[in-house]
DNA sequence: TAAAGTAATTGCCAAAGTCAATTATTTGAT
DNA sequence: ATCAAATAATTGACTTTGGCAATTACTTTA
């Protein structure tokens, strides 16, 4: 083997990426067929899309964003302007450039294109089961996260009450994650299913609550506040999806439980966790929880150190 | 379980897929720039690729595989033939078509294109660490697996034991489906979480078992066989994803449980269900189950008619 | 055996896109 | 402050790409 300046990339990986490129070239071709009977070309549609979704664009920005030849773009813009779909306003900071904006008419004519594309994708997706769709979307996000710049990082999340199906999903994800990361077996999944079951069974809406964190329309975290006694609440089932970590979601969930427990006049909040869960522990510490007890135990196929933490309210 | 033509697709998923399409449109544009200083167009390169990697291609096969207009393809092929890169030989089974094949010269001239593309992708990949590359390749494979070789509704499925995460997923999906179709609320989700929890807690591998049906790498159904007494087994948690129905998966799952219960020397198999679940009932009837008892009950926010069925083994 | 369908080709044409040159401005180096 | 170099946008002159319909030569089907 001759020296290579670059790290050797496995040829199987190269082949896989190239196969994907060929595959997706066709896929995109198929999906952009919807444009054929519209009055816009693919490039025009891409231009309109950018204009509809970003403000303050200039021709050169657009050319760079879409990687279109500036000359060709200029002509396209002229055509759209002539059709009354877009206006250009001389920038006041730079006399050479104009700021582009869709007119009301531009938005109007573009709207059916958008809904048509939505419908087409919806039709495509409806061929699959929900879990397949989720796998697909997650995989696409991964591809984008790796290859592209992460503009996604700042995406917002929201907390809400769990809806039917969410509880099962939380069990599903926690079981999978703790299995992958710490080797916990199915008995752990049984344990959390039992916790969830008990939560629903004995649910006291006045003093108990659950939250899920949602981002991009998907559940990415959860937390439960359950009654241990009249004066003590228990924090349970905290988790945050790996792909959503670092956004402060875990901290926010814990804060929410503390706020809730205070409001419901609990005097203490306790929780049980295991020492391997570093990032969770850091959140608990930061929130003021104190470690009160540790015990070794062999559970779920692993040697673990259980910990009880408590917070006086 | 009622048949549904088309499930509602969450708009967040649609948006994610469309964002990916826009993203990858640019990506492909960037990756095919390598062709610019070659003497081949993108389409020619795609044609050559197919010819280099598959034997016995004809023009019409090629047109279909690459989704190229037959007329345009014809011209491209002529051009390549004129350059001495490819030969056409009249098919002996069909005088209308010709079998296409690259000449030695064709392979020679195509080779640098291939290695160029490899190098380009390799350069792209070398920007990442191995774990990122693995994630990328895996995600691409997933996209392809989901979107790709679908077509046939009769895609194969397989039965296997549940893996960590599968139990929660089953709870998740059943809760969601029965909520959407029959309005069952979260208490139903609690119930099945309890069943799953009990299954794990008291699991007797000699006399109990669970199966999940997998298709395209996703769980699309489940069934459980649990011990009710030494002589009686209970069939529980049967479900099949709406879009995986009609493939005989439900029937197969029930058969599997019956076979298992017989093999384990149970004398009877019982199950509890509700009268609204038509397609499930049909499966039970076909398998020989007999309705032994019905009772009205108000549960999970709905008025329901519970049914006990039994099968002598 | 006629009608319908399929494989491949061709002419015609419009759309899509490239390239280089040009003008008007702004930026940066001295 | 000034002038060369860079940037934004446009235009003219092209080529390439690719869609569509008609046509020919076969095969399949009713």
């Amino acid at each position: 083997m001759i020296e290579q300046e670059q790290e050797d990339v496995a040829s199987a990986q190269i082949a896989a990426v190239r196969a994907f490129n060929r595959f997706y070239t066709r896929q995109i071709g198929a999906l952009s067929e919807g444009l054929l009977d519209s009055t816009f070309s693919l490039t025009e549609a891409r231009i309109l899309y950018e204009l509809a979704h970003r403000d303050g664009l200039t021709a050169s920005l657009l050319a760079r964003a879409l990687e279109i030849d500036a000359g060709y773009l200029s002509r396209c813009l002229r055509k759209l302007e002539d059709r009354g779909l877009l206006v250009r306003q001389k920038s006041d900071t730079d006399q050479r450039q104009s700021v582009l904006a869709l007119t009301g008419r531009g938005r109007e004519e573009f709207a059916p294109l958008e809904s048509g594309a939505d419908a087409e994708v919806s039709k495509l997706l409806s061929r699959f089961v929900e879990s397949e769709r989720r796998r697909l979307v997650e995989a696409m996000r991964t591809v984008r996260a790796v290859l592209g710049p992460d503009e996604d990082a700042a995406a917002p999340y929201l907390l809400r009450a769990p809806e039917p199906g969410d509880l099962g999903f939380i069990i599903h994800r926690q079981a999978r994650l703790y299995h992958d990361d710490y080797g916990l077996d199915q008995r752990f999944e049984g344990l959390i299913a039992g916790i969830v079951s008990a939560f629903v069974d004995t649910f006291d809406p006045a003093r108990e609550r659950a939250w899920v964190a949602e981002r991009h329309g998907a559940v990415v975290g959860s937390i439960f506040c359950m009654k241990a006694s009249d004066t003590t609440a228990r924090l349970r089932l905290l988790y945050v999806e790996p792909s959503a970590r670092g956004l402060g979601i875990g901290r926010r969930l814990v804060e929410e439980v503390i706020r809730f427990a205070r409001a419901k006049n609990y005097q203490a909040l306790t929780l049980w966790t295991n020492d391997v869960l570093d990032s969770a522990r850091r959140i608990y510490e930061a929130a003021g929880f104190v470690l009160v007890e540790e015990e070794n135990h062999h559970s779920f196929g692993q040697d673990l150190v259980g910990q009880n933490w408590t917070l006086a309210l």
Side-chain angles (χ1 to χ4, degrees), chain A residues 130 134 138 141 157-174 177 211-224 237 239-244 249 253:
Chain A
E130 173 63 17
R134 236 174 356 221
E138 183 52 37
R141 231 187 270 295
Y157 66 91
L158 65 90
L159 302 193
R160 58 167 177 77
E163 286 164 10
D166 287 342
L167 300 180
F169 188 77
I170 289 163
I171 298 168
H172 160 55
R173 290 303 298 161
Q174 294 201 30
L177 289 171
W211 293 259
V212 302
E214 180 181 303
R215 186 157 164 263
H216 300 308
V219 170
V220 296
S222 74
I223 203 163
F224 287 66
L237 297 177
Y239 101 102
V240 176
E241 285 290 337
S243 64
I249 294 178
L253 287 165

Side-chain angles (χ1 to χ4, degrees), chain A residues 225-294:
Chain A
C225 182
M226 297 173 71
K227 184 167 72 178
S229 74
D230 272 355
T231 55
T232 305
R234 185 172 286 152
L235 183 162
R236 302 188 97 166
L237 297 177
L238 168 66
Y239 101 102
V240 176
E241 285 290 337
S243 64
R245 290 179 190 166
L247 300 173
I249 294 178
R251 189 169 310 261
R252 171 76 192 286
L253 287 165
V254 170
E255 282 167 9
E256 212 63 38
V257 168
I258 294 173
R259 187 175 4 250
F260 176 81
R262 284 217 173 92
K264 298 302 178 186
N265 292 317
Y266 287 108
Q267 279 150 42
L269 191 54
T270 67
L271 68 89
W272 180 82
T273 183
N274 281 280
D275 72 334
V276 287
L277 307 177
D278 289 320
S279 54
R281 189 184 50 239
R282 252 175 277 126
I283 293 174
Y284 300 138
E285 278 169 348
F289 279 85
V290 180
L291 177 62
V292 291
E293 194 184 358
E294 281 192 309

Side-chain angles (χ1 to χ4, degrees), chain A residues 39-101:
Chain A
T39 52
F40 299 106
S41 73
L42 173 58
T43 302
E44 283 172 329
R46 293 176 69 203
I47 292 170
L48 289 173
Y49 181 90
E50 289 296 317
L51 290 174
H53 293 268
R54 282 167 62 182
D55 279 341
L57 280 175
T58 63
S60 50
L61 284 172
L62 204 47
R64 228 166 301 144
L66 299 179
E67 295 174 50
I68 303 177
D69 174 79
Y72 181 46
L73 176 61
S74 178
R75 257 179 280 263
C76 287
L77 291 175
R78 153 80 62 77
K79 210 168 127 205
L80 294 173
E81 194 179 20
D82 288 350
R83 286 170 68 178
L85 308 181
L86 108 90
V87 288
R88 313 188 220 202
Q89 176 159 29
K90 275 253 147 97
S91 158
D92 36 344
T93 62
D94 185 335
Q95 295 297 108
R96 294 168 304 178
Q97 45 185 12
S98 301
V99 175
L100 308 168

